Amino acid sequence: MTTHADLLRHTLVDTLAQNLTRRGLTLFPDVERALRTVPRDKFVPEVELERAYADTAVVTKRREDGTGLSSVSAPNMITDMLLQAHGTRGLAGAHVLEIGSGGYNAALLRELVGESGSVTTVDIDSEVTDRARRCLDAAGYHDVAVVCADAEYEIEAGRRYDLIIVTVGAWDIPPAWIGQLTDSGVLVVPLRTHGTTRSWELRRTGDQLISLSNMLAGFVPMQGAGQREGWSVALHEQVTLWLNEIYQQQFDGTHLDGVLAHERREAGTGVIVPGGRRSADLDLWLATHLPDFAMMISQQSAVTSGLVSPASPFGTPALAHDSSLAYRGRLKALSDTEFEHIVYGHGPDAEQVVQQMAEQIRAWDAAGRPAPTLHVTPIDAPEHDLPHGQVLTKRHSRLVFAWN
């Protein structure tokens, strides 16, 4: 008998498949089967059925200040990461470690690995793992192993996994993650760099990882030894600057006080975007090529009032140099089908910083609008062994962004 929950679940999966098709992607049959099989409502029993099958995240634990600590991620984000994890080989028979335990994703993975595979899900918070255990049991997934531990470290001595999938926002990739992968194992991780988070599909090659794909993502932050707080300064009560991790500790933002009160300068780039589609790779290009890069976050009221006109209020590339600021603006419509990248600036040297950012947008265009490849190397890798590209040094690793 088909229940109301079944109907809602199938409608959700139909919508996910349609959205993927519009993006030029395909929902693999085994991933679709898993999504149609696992009852998401069993993993968010606190909410009504309609919300359980809405394409939104459900926060299941918050800090006192309201910050989310644990959630059942939005189905579209889970699906995208499962497609990354699936790759071209599929997951049948795979042994999987999930870091971050909402329960729902672990159940989907259990469907994908089949009887000959296994799924272990780990979280640092015993309240989260206890909840995941209850939900998994209620949904019938008794053979998913649930572990309470800090996943910065090895979970089970000598155990190796074909896939490690991280469902919390990570700032770095600790050695234990690479060490627990099989020789050609895959790590799927939402990695925060330069103020943005992308989910990277990374394959192990020796003691390094090389990316196979990436996409924009957003997750609650990592806790425990791998936790890293963000760093920001207020430009206005409605506008915040999230700083490039390279120089954030030396940046107090006082020299930018009142910068948005300066007359706004505008520069066209001549770089045209057909159909107004987002250029996510451009943001990372700017992050890795501009030494004073930051991300500007704007409340909608600041956009509505005309104080700022960012490419995205949720995070737009910015350049903070001395007492001046430039940022990538909302695309300018040239016709119904063509849009131009625009740069705005404020401050005494607005013209200079605006042109600096505009030149990098043109450079990205002249290079053929390349996609990034990420190489993850050990922190002690010799300089001469690093691939060619922009290097970002973390606590445990060096990230090298190469542009193909």
Side-chain angles (χ1 to χ4, degrees):
M1 177 180 176
T2 302
T3 66
H4 184 45
D6 294 333
L7 291 173
L8 291 171
R9 183 164 62 255
H10 293 313
T11 298
L12 170 63
V13 178
D14 290 342
T15 301
L16 293 172
Q18 292 164 8
N19 290 339
L20 286 168
T21 298
R22 280 194 287 269
R23 293 162 53 196
L25 302 174
T26 300
L27 182 59
F28 298 123
D30 51 345
V31 177
E32 179 176 353
R33 181 189 59 78
L35 288 165
R36 293 190 186 278
T37 301
V38 177
R40 189 171 189 254
D41 56 293
K42 299 294 186 183
F43 297 91
V44 284
E46 308 91 338
V47 304
E48 63 277 9
L49 276 177
E50 284 71 17
R51 188 178 173 202
Y53 288 104
D55 192 12
T56 58
V58 177
V59 177
T60 55
K61 184 174 181 179
R62 296 183 185 272
R63 283 197 312 221
E64 291 182 1
D65 64 2
T67 302
L69 292 176
S70 183
S71 69
V72 175
S73 301
N76 70 83
M77 183 60 61
I78 287 176
T79 301
D80 281 353
M81 291 184 71
L82 287 177
L83 295 181
Q84 287 185 300
H86 183 284
T88 58
R89 299 182 294 183
L91 291 176
H95 299 286
V96 179
L97 173 65
E98 180 197 31
I99 296 174
S101 297
Y104 176 58
N105 194 55
L108 292 169
L109 288 164
R110 190 69 194 89
E111 290 286 343
L112 289 170
V113 301
E115 293 184 3
S116 59
S118 68
V119 177
T120 300
T121 183
V122 60
D123 199 283
I124 195 172
D125 189 333
S126 60
E127 290 184 13
V128 173
T129 52
D130 288 348
R131 182 185 183 282
R133 179 74 278 162
R134 291 194 303 272
C135 291
L136 285 162
D137 288 345
Y141 294 93
H142 307 286
D143 58 353
V144 171
V146 181
V147 178
C148 183
D150 188 340
E152 177 87 351
Y153 310 105
E154 189 177 30
I155 301 304
E156 183 180 339
R159 180 80 183 272
R160 298 293 177 265
Y161 301 91
D162 304 296
L163 168 69
I164 298 177
I165 185 166
V166 184
T167 56
V168 289
W171 183 80
D172 195 5
I173 296 176
W177 294 1
I178 300 176
Q180 289 175 104
L181 283 173
T182 56
D183 290 343
S184 59
V186 169
L187 170 68
V188 176
V189 55
L191 186 62
R192 179 161 57 88
T193 58
H194 298 292
T196 65
T197 300
R198 288 182 176 223
S199 177
W200 293 91
E201 176 192 0
L202 301 158
R203 175 160 291 161
R204 180 177 179 177
T205 303
D207 62 353
Q208 301 187 19
L209 300 170
I210 300 176
S211 68
L212 303 175
S213 69
N214 75 88
M215 64 178 187
L216 293 174
F219 283 85
V220 297
M222 182 79 67
Q223 298 180 61
Q227 182 176 354
R228 178 71 174 237
E229 295 293 335
W231 187 272
S232 66
V233 297
L235 299 179
H236 182 273
E237 61 183 6
Q238 300 166 343
V239 183
T240 302
L241 201 64
W242 284 88
L243 299 171
N244 184 322
E245 50 209 292
I246 294 175
Y247 69 99
Q248 60 185 19
Q249 300 298 336
Q250 292 77 42
F251 190 105
D252 63 11
T254 55
H255 54 290
L256 288 172
D257 288 346
V259 67
L260 294 178
H262 288 255
E263 181 182 359
R264 186 164 74 189
R265 304 293 184 180
E266 176 183 330
T269 63
V271 176
I272 307 303
V273 184
R277 292 189 297 272
R278 291 188 66 187
S279 305
D281 290 338
L282 171 58
D283 291 359
L284 191 56
W285 174 282
L286 294 174
T288 56
H289 287 79
L290 291 172
D292 298 320
F293 179 85
M295 290 294 288
M296 190 175 78
I297 313 296
S298 311
Q299 295 182 24
Q300 187 58 47
S301 54
V303 179
T304 303
S305 69
L307 177 66
V308 292
S309 183
S312 168
F314 306 110
T316 198
L319 171 59
H321 182 71
D322 292 336
S323 300
S324 298
L325 174 78
Y327 64 91
R328 188 162 71 80
R330 183 180 300 173
L331 291 170
K332 183 176 182 178
L334 303 180
S335 69
D336 291 341
T337 58
E338 291 190 331
F339 299 78
E340 181 183 9
H341 281 296
I342 300 294
V343 180
Y344 294 119
H346 299 264
D349 298 317
E351 293 289 349
Q352 176 184 337
V353 293
V354 161
Q355 289 303 323
Q356 187 176 353
M357 177 172 280
E359 287 169 5
Q360 280 301 333
I361 294 176
R362 296 186 194 106
W364 167 78
D365 183 54
R369 305 186 182 189
T373 298
L374 174 60
H375 300 258
V376 181
T377 70
I379 189 68
D380 56 356
E383 293 283 344
H384 59 80
D385 286 345
L386 296 179
H388 177 72
Q390 286 75 32
V391 180
L392 176 59
T393 301
K394 297 277 190 171
R395 179 184 176 190
H396 298 296
S397 61
R398 283 180 171 176
L399 310 183
V400 184
F401 297 90
W403 295 90
N404 304 321

